[in-house]
Amino acid sequence: MPRINEAGTRTVPSADGTASPATVPGQAPTAEDEEDFWLPIEQVNWDGTPARPDPDERPRRLWSFPTGRVPAGAPPRLPKPPRRPASGLAGLVLLALLASFFAWVSVEPLWLAFGHGDLGTATVIDCTGEGINQRCRGEFVSADGKFSAEGIRLAGVPAEDELESWQLTARMIDADSSTAYVGTGTGSLHLRWVLGLGLVVLCGVGIVWATGAVRLPNRSARRGAVLIGLAGPLAITAGFLAATF
């Protein structure tokens, strides 16, 4: 069987069993050629040259992570088709109306939570329903006597059996407001406007999805459409804040 010595020359066994190096014609063998070693039969070819490792037997990583490249031969990823104009317009109108409602019910608690408004006394006239469905009407008189309001909605009235003629501490924006918020603290007011504005933001996300803004092929147009879809409900909220102040 042929051998490969350290110098890289091939050693071929002779007929009597001794090994003689196969040297290049015109080149005398050196002392290093005499010190050779045997390679395992799995690592040499039939002619004595070193065998290349099989690609399938190369060491592999225990974990492999996707690189994001499309494999060769795989079909290209097609962009999603745009939304139908009718469905996109319907979703836009519906979500814009919902955002307007949530903004309208959030601005008064926001102003009252930050000290804008008047503290006074609310008198319960009547209540209907129970639990979260309870609706109460009453009168409100500001503490400084500047204004009073009748037949307004009272929000945050505790659930009791007999509420008529109860007098409760409440807050109200002004005489033109239609709701007085019962309670001395501002914790419930903060909860009201935070939840309301959170729903306004969700409506903006829904508008972006319903109109298919993220499906536009041009990157700059897609970015602009997404920003407009998110900013629309916030602009409505800003308008209600300005009108309520």
Side-chain angles (χ1 to χ4, degrees), residues 89-108:
L89 182 60
L92 173 63
V93 173
L94 177 61
L95 291 170
L97 291 175
L98 285 176
S100 301
F101 171 75
F102 293 134
W104 174 62
V105 299
S106 301
V107 291
E108 285 193 357

Side-chain angles (χ1 to χ4, degrees), residues 82-92 210-211:
R83 298 281 185 192
R84 294 181 178 179
S87 60
L89 182 60
L92 173 63
T211 56

Side-chain angles (χ1 to χ4, degrees), residues 5-7 9 29-36:
N5 55 27
E6 295 179 354
T9 60
T30 61
E32 296 179 354
D33 296 338
E34 301 297 332
E35 298 178 1
D36 52 8

Side-chain angles (χ1 to χ4, degrees), residues 98-146:
L98 285 176
S100 301
F101 171 75
F102 293 134
W104 174 62
V105 299
S106 301
V107 291
E108 285 193 357
L110 189 149
W111 283 129
L112 293 173
F114 287 98
H116 177 68
D118 292 292
L119 189 66
T121 302
T123 303
V124 180
I125 297 177
D126 58 38
C127 292
T128 57
E130 297 180 356
I132 60 174
N133 294 323
Q134 179 177 267
R135 300 290 183 270
C136 295
R137 283 188 317 111
E139 300 176 351
F140 177 84
V141 178
S142 62
D144 54 7
K146 289 182 178 179

Side-chain angles (χ1 to χ4, degrees), residues 109 112-115 171 183-193:
L112 293 173
F114 287 98
R171 298 172 185 268
T184 56
T186 59
S188 60
L189 295 174
H190 283 295
L191 181 61
R192 286 175 181 271
W193 75 260

